[in-house]
């Protein structure tokens, strides 16, 4: 019995070729209500319609299952994001375009994702809107609850959100004062060259422009 | 901003239709050296060659990443398998035929996998060879080390392996006294009707025959 080659029985590149795509992890981060979920679901729908094999990972499907039992302390958020990164790695190795949507408030957490997934396979996007605008949108009522003192560890209020630094290779997608369709169009335009087989770039992501 | 529909942006069935397949989790269990890895990699290679979108999950790729830090106590093995099951669920929801290869020694662990993945999406196969035959094969030298008292919690020796019960809906694949190609042929024959779009069965797995 041969115990070697477990991972190589079918290579990632063979799967990417079958899907006629390049696998990448597209990681959207930003404060609550900035528009991550809307962009993530919109991007997945659009890529699927174009024939890409995709998977969306977000708090809704991860925290209810794999990451059940983890809370919102910095340590638990980091373990949550470590597991997400490892799962994203498993999907990208299966040739799948993987979209992650998580607040990911700390630079160290984004660095960990890059470490686990690999810089060449990770596209980091900050979904940007001001705290005031997100509090105004407040689709889940979280900002109101935080203002009433009902939530602890609320990102942007009790818990810090660290802005990316210029060298972090993050593309900013503005959602404040921009129509949702326009933000999606911009995100999709950034992503497409990296996942298209015909003219996929090989390394990393575009520098912030 | 719409916060609903995160999971449903692209449904599993839409993905299955794109892949022209039905997603299932094919879970191979059995003692060390019974032939799980050989069958798992062989099955993946064969399904891939037939155009199926697949992912293989095994100890090699899970314990090095997602499940790093977990040991081999019953509690750690169960947490290991809980996470594997949750990840398999994420793959099957993405329309992927997912092959899991883990000792999975306890009936409660197999029941947990069924609970998390869902009975209709899980095909359980026991890869069967006697302890004596596995000790003879011993590709990783584990049986020799266990015999020398160098390993604790070795399944079948210090740690129990619970045989499935008739009602557990497990198909047995014999690898002792059978050519590896014949075992693979048998496994593949069992799996194909469940993953083929044209004539996929809808529920559960075949009763043990």
């Amino acid at each position: 019995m041969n115990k070697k080659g477990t991972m190589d029985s079918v290579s990632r590149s063979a799967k990417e070729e079958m899907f006629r795509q390049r696998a990448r992890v597209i990681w959207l981060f930003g404060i609550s209500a900035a528009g991550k979920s809307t962009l993530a679901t919109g991007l997945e729908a659009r890529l699927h319609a174009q024939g890409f094999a995709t998977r969306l990972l977000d708090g809704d499907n991860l925290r209810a299952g794999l990451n059940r039992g983890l809370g919102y302390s910095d340590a638990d958020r980091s373990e949550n994001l470590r597991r997400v990164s490892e799962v994203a790695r498993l999907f990208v190795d299966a040739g799948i375009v993987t979209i992650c949507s998580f607040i990911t408030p700390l630079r160290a957490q984004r660095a960990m994702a890059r470490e686990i997934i690999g810089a060449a396979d990770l596209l980091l996007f900050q979904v940007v809107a001001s705290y005031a605008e997100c509090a105004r949108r407040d689709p889940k009522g979280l900002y109101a609850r935080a203002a009433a003192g009902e939530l602890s560890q609320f990102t942007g209020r009790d818990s810090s959100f660290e802005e990316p630094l210029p060298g972090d290779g993050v593309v900013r997608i503005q959602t404040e004062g921009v129509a949702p369709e326009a933000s999606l169009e911009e995100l999709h335009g950034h992503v497409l060259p990296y996942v298209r087989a015909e003219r996929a770039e090989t390394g990393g992501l575009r520098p912030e422009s």
Side-chain angles (χ1 to χ4, degrees), chain A residues 93-161:
Chain A
D93 280 341
I96 308 288
V97 175
T98 309
I99 302 164
C100 295
S101 168
F102 296 91
I103 296 175
T104 331
L106 304 181
R107 278 191 290 268
Q109 293 161 346
R110 273 117 55 186
M112 177 180 64
R114 189 183 291 113
E115 178 71 26
I116 291 171
I117 294 162
D121 288 329
L122 178 65
L123 310 179
L124 273 171
F125 293 93
Q126 183 182 6
V127 181
V128 180
S130 68
Y131 191 92
E133 167 67 7
C134 293
R136 192 190 61 72
R137 294 172 181 170
D138 203 15
K140 300 179 186 174
L142 295 176
Y143 284 83
R145 291 179 59 201
E150 292 170 26
L151 289 181
S152 63
Q153 301 165 329
F154 191 70
T155 300
R157 184 183 168 92
D158 325 288
S159 190
S160 58
F161 180 87

Side-chain angles (χ1 to χ4, degrees), chain A residues 13-63:
Chain A
S13 61
K15 292 177 179 181
E16 288 176 312
E17 193 175 333
M18 191 175 90
F19 295 141
R20 298 188 304 280
Q21 67 186 26
R22 300 285 185 91
R24 289 289 185 280
V25 177
I26 296 138
W27 192 297
L28 308 182
F29 70 96
I31 62 176
S32 190
K36 298 183 298 302
S37 291
T38 303
L39 282 170
T41 55
L43 180 65
E44 188 185 33
R46 200 146 168 179
L47 290 175
H48 175 79
Q50 294 179 291
F52 288 96
T54 59
R55 168 77 234 187
L56 173 59
L57 302 174
D58 62 21
D60 289 350
N61 53 43
L62 270 286
R63 282 197 176 268

